[in-house]
Amino acid sequence: MTPTVFYAACLALWGSSFRADGCAALKVSNRSMRSWIAGDELVPLGVQAEIRDRLVRKRGELSAIVAAIVLPPVQS
């Protein structure tokens, strides 16, 4: 996982407070999070798997919400 993808995934999962919330959720230090975002260290495979699992769950939640939104037909 590249630093750019890691950063984007963290933003998608935890929003602008991803550093604090992501560290807590992943049980990692702020220092590790900063290092992965900067590309100084590789994101461990276990963390990558956890992020992927969380993204898949979030995608399912968002799909259910989108499906529940009923829009009127478009008039031409």
Side-chain angles (χ1 to χ4, degrees):
M1 176 180 292
T2 66
T4 302
V5 171
F6 178 72
Y7 180 77
C10 289
L11 279 176
L13 290 168
W14 298 291
S16 61
S17 62
F18 74 87
R19 281 191 175 86
D21 294 345
C23 287
L26 298 170
K27 298 179 177 82
V28 299
S29 70
N30 191 286
R31 182 177 182 273
S32 291
M33 182 76 79
R34 287 192 318 266
S35 177
W36 299 333
I37 291 168
D40 296 333
E41 294 179 31
L42 296 176
V43 180
L45 291 178
V47 172
Q48 291 185 42
E50 176 68 23
I51 287 175
R52 186 180 188 289
D53 290 346
R54 287 173 180 269
L55 287 169
V56 168
R57 283 194 302 271
K58 184 164 184 147
R59 178 179 59 190
E61 294 167 4
L62 292 173
S63 293
I65 294 168
V66 170
I69 298 171
V70 179
L71 299 175
V74 176
Q75 301 287 329
S76 54

